[in-house]
Amino acid sequence: MNTLHSYIFLNSTKYALDTLTKWYEKKPKNKELQNLIKSIQYMVEHTNMVELERQLYKDHLDLLSKEHLKLKQENQELWKTKN
């Protein structure tokens, strides 16, 4: 998720949760509304965790790609010296 999408997602979910929470405060015995709030909170937490994992894998992949290019260049240099 790029930065713009992240901000849109966070703002939208914050707005939805704030609205539902205000609604729940007016009707505190509404179990369905309480469960809906919990469900949205779970989706937000899950999405945040997936995004963190994606960023970690991306960073790791970038490091591996740099290492791969370095080894490839070393290999090419070795072949040049042998020929």
Side-chain angles (χ1 to χ4, degrees):
M1 197 180 318
N2 67 31
T3 305
L4 178 61
H5 287 118
S6 294
Y7 285 126
I8 291 170
F9 175 77
L10 290 174
N11 288 333
S12 299
T13 53
K14 183 180 180 331
Y15 173 77
L17 285 172
D18 289 347
T19 303
L20 290 171
T21 302
K22 288 176 187 173
W23 187 13
Y24 180 72
E25 288 170 356
K26 293 178 184 175
K27 300 181 180 211
K29 293 184 180 182
N30 190 333
K31 199 68 171 167
E32 289 179 346
L33 190 53
Q34 185 180 19
N35 289 337
L36 179 61
I37 291 169
K38 287 180 184 177
S39 295
I40 291 175
Q41 287 172 334
Y42 173 78
M43 287 186 279
V44 170
E45 290 170 8
H46 177 74
T47 303
N48 289 340
M49 289 302 298
V50 168
E51 187 62 21
L52 284 173
E53 287 175 2
R54 185 197 66 78
Q55 188 60 44
L56 283 172
Y57 287 127
K58 181 185 176 302
D59 293 346
H60 188 68
L61 184 62
D62 290 346
L63 287 173
L64 289 174
S65 295
K66 288 177 186 175
E67 186 66 23
H68 172 262
L69 291 174
K70 179 182 158 191
L71 291 171
K72 182 178 175 182
Q73 186 178 18
E74 287 176 10
N75 188 32
Q76 287 174 348
E77 289 172 7
L78 283 171
W79 276 101
K80 284 181 184 177
T81 56
K82 284 189 175 186
N83 292 333

